[in-house]
């Protein structure tokens, strides 16, 4: 495995644990950390032993409490745009991962941290988690995909309110709005994420990847339906569908090979 300056990584029972390791900075996302996250995600995707990824922050206080604001001080408009584009591309790598990525949100997920959590496929929050896009307090807006993904998850009206007021969203309210999948006690956070991946790993890896791509293609137009047709057809070219059907007929659990 690769070694990272601002991340801790570990593979255990097929799960790639990726931990942002800047607790003294509340795991703030400076540019190096974002680049390292992108590299670690690509490493996990390429590793055939990995069935899923859990992304979290070191310590109980923060998943990731925004960006490293000091890096913004001297940026021009074009430089700011380039920085945001780089962040968007890395976060898109997470969303496009054919292997499930679960955000284990332990504390603050603010600004870029909230955007990072939304790039993951599922979000499990501890009871003390808080989400928010407070960029307007700095004269900014979300730049790593937050304005788009927030609308997707909680709707336009609440996304506008949350972004314009810079309010923080407690875990239970985030659950009610559909931003997170589960809220659990802090000491049960990783356990719940592992539990979810242990269920997912019994399914066809090929089908999981197709489902992610089809759902990611949703945009309210017919293009999403076309993407579903394409991925549905691809499933019929895999060994997994043959195993799945045979197991169903033979009344046994399938043993998917991921091919």
């Amino acid at each position: 495995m690769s070694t990272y300056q601002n991340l801790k990584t570990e593979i255990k029972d097929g799960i790639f644990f990726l931990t942002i390791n800047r607790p003294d900075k509340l795991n703030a996302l400076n540019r190096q950390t974002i680049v390292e996250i992108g590299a670690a995600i690509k490493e996990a995707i390429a590793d055939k032993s990995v069935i899923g990824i859990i992304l979290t922050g070191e310590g109980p206080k923060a998943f990731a409490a925004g960006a490293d604001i000091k890096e913004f001080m001297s940026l021009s408009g074009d430089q700011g745009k380039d920085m945001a584009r780089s962040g968007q591309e890395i976060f898109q790598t997470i969303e496009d991962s054919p292997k499930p990525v679960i955000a284990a949100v332990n504390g603050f997920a603010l600004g870029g941290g909230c955007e990072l959590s939304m790039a993951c496929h599922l979000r499990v929050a501890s009871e003390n988690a808080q989400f928010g896009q407070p960029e307007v307090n700095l004269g900014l807006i979300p730049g790593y995909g937050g304005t788009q993904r927030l609308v997707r998850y909680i709707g336009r009206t609440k996304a506008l309110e949350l972004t314009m007021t810079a309010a923080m969203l407690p875990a239970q309210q985030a659950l009610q709005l559909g931003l997170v999948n589960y809220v659990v006690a802090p000491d049960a956070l990783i356990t719940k994420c592992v539990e979810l991946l242990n269920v997912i790993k019994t399914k066809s890896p090929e089908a999981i990847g197709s489902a992610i791509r089809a759902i990611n293609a949703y945009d309210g137009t017919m293009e999403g339906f076309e993407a579903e047709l394409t991925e549905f057809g691809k499933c019929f070219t895999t060994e997994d569908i043959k195993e799945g059907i045979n197991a169903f007929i033979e009344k046994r659990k399938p043993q998917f090979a991921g091919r």
Side-chain angles (χ1 to χ4, degrees):
M1 290 182 66
S2 300
T3 301
Y4 301 97
Q5 182 174 327
N6 294 335
L7 307 178
K8 292 194 300 185
T9 57
E10 177 187 13
I11 298 175
K12 185 177 181 181
D13 297 329
I15 297 174
F16 190 100
F17 293 87
L18 192 169
T19 304
I20 304 167
N21 190 28
R22 303 184 75 211
D24 57 321
K25 304 290 185 182
L26 293 179
N27 300 320
L29 300 174
N30 62 3
R31 278 185 271 188
Q32 180 176 340
T33 302
I34 291 175
V35 169
E36 288 186 359
I37 289 171
I41 292 292
K42 289 178 181 178
E43 179 182 350
I45 292 171
D47 190 327
K48 293 183 179 179
S49 72
V50 171
I51 57 94
I53 302 158
I54 295 175
L55 199 166
T56 193
E58 180 66 23
K61 294 183 179 180
F63 172 75
D68 193 329
I69 304 303
K70 292 179 181 178
E71 292 185 338
F72 294 177
M73 292 296 294
S74 60
L75 296 181
S76 67
D78 286 341
Q79 288 171 330
K81 185 176 180 180
D82 288 343
M83 183 182 69
R85 179 181 287 110
S86 175
Q88 283 190 10
E89 289 172 352
I90 290 169
F91 286 14
Q92 192 63 47
T93 298
I94 298 172
E95 187 169 88
D96 289 342
S97 167
K99 300 178 181 182
V101 184
I102 301 179
V105 183
N106 47 321
F108 293 118
L110 305 177
C114 186
E115 292 174 294
L116 176 61
S117 76
M118 290 192 291
C120 299
H121 301 124
L122 303 176
R123 279 152 299 286
V124 179
S126 68
E127 293 167 339
N128 68 330
Q130 295 195 67
F131 299 80
Q133 300 290 169
E135 287 87 349
V136 293
N137 287 332
L138 302 172
L140 287 169
I141 66 169
Y144 297 153
T147 63
Q148 306 305 299
R149 291 191 177 97
L150 197 57
V151 173
R152 185 191 305 170
Y153 289 126
I154 69 173
R156 183 175 185 273
T157 301
K158 294 302 292 187
L160 278 167
E161 178 186 345
L162 196 67
T163 304
M164 291 193 297
T165 64
M168 286 197 287
L169 201 62
Q172 285 293 341
Q173 192 175 352
L175 178 66
Q176 293 167 6
L177 290 173
L179 183 59
V180 303
N181 299 84
Y182 297 94
V183 175
V184 298
D187 60 358
L189 182 61
I190 299 300
T191 301
K192 182 61 180 181
C193 294
V194 170
E195 176 187 309
L196 286 167
L197 285 180
N198 282 339
V199 172
I200 293 170
K201 76 178 183 181
T202 66
K203 318 306 177 188
S204 160
E206 290 293 313
I208 293 295
S210 283
I212 288 170
R213 287 187 291 272
I215 291 171
N216 282 353
Y218 172 77
D219 65 356
T221 73
M222 290 305 295
E223 290 185 13
F225 288 92
E226 287 300 320
E228 182 182 279
L229 290 174
T230 298
E231 295 300 332
F232 186 79
K234 283 181 183 177
C235 290
F236 286 87
T237 69
T238 69
E239 293 179 21
D240 278 0
I241 191 174
K242 297 173 185 176
E243 168 62 13
I245 291 173
N246 285 334
F248 178 81
I249 292 171
E250 295 165 11
K251 295 182 172 57
R252 60 175 174 82
K253 291 183 178 180
Q255 300 295 318
F256 293 115
R259 297 191 294 269

